[in-house]
Amino acid sequence: MDFLQTLAQRNSTFAETGFDAGLKIIPSRKTMIVGCVDPRVDPMDVLKLAPGEVAVIRNVGGRVNPALLETMAILRTVSRVGGSEVGEGWNLILLHHTDCGITGCLHHAPQLLAKHMGVTPEELPALAIDDPYQAVAVDVAALKANPNLPGGFTVTGLVYDVATGRIDTVVPAGPLRSE
């Protein structure tokens, strides 16, 4: 059996036993998590989230970049249309991780990585690509400096250790901005 057949069977089981048509478009915990596409770091799994609790946005490295900011702007519009304003009372969690493959891009494809991050190759060192603990702090600072994001978010920076399965809080929960 090929993997697509396996997926179809899994979906059939889900539709019969786990599907919930009552889930809302707005996450029940008013939380967005930004994480990496690395399959070892699925926020639904490592944080034991229930369906519908959070909106998860994943990109290479789980980093703040122009595409993430555009996605967040679109989600804000979707939420508004769904009857909920994103911002006040919402959590924004950045989830970086150890042993991230993005470091390979830093050393082998810096031009590509710079384009992904929306910077010049000369600006890459300031983004702490090879240190997830520094990188999550850099990204939280970038979010706090962005005037286009709603200031009412509570923002937190976490690092997941792929060797232990544990998360460390690097940037404790705090307001995105004081308004």
Side-chain angles (χ1 to χ4, degrees), residues 147-170:
N148 298 319
L149 293 174
F153 273 118
T154 296
V155 65
T156 307
L158 307 175
V159 173
Y160 173 75
D161 187 326
V162 299
T164 67
R166 305 250 182 231
I167 59 169
D168 290 315
T169 301
V170 177

Side-chain angles (χ1 to χ4, degrees), residues 49-120:
L49 299 168
E53 281 189 309
V54 305
V56 176
I57 305 168
R58 296 176 78 178
N59 67 24
V60 175
R63 297 302 304 262
V64 172
N65 64 10
L68 170 70
L69 297 173
E70 183 178 89
T71 298
M72 290 179 69
I74 291 169
L75 288 175
R76 188 172 184 197
T77 300
V78 168
S79 293
R80 223 182 264 136
V81 170
S84 178
E85 184 65 36
V86 173
E88 191 68 39
W90 280 66
N91 297 300
L92 177 56
I93 300 169
L94 296 183
L95 177 64
H96 290 202
H97 68 93
T98 60
D99 192 36
C100 187
I102 198 172
T103 59
C105 289
L106 178 63
H107 303 296
H108 300 288
Q111 296 283 4
L112 181 62
L113 181 58
K115 182 178 178 185
H116 172 71
M117 296 300 297
V119 299
T120 66

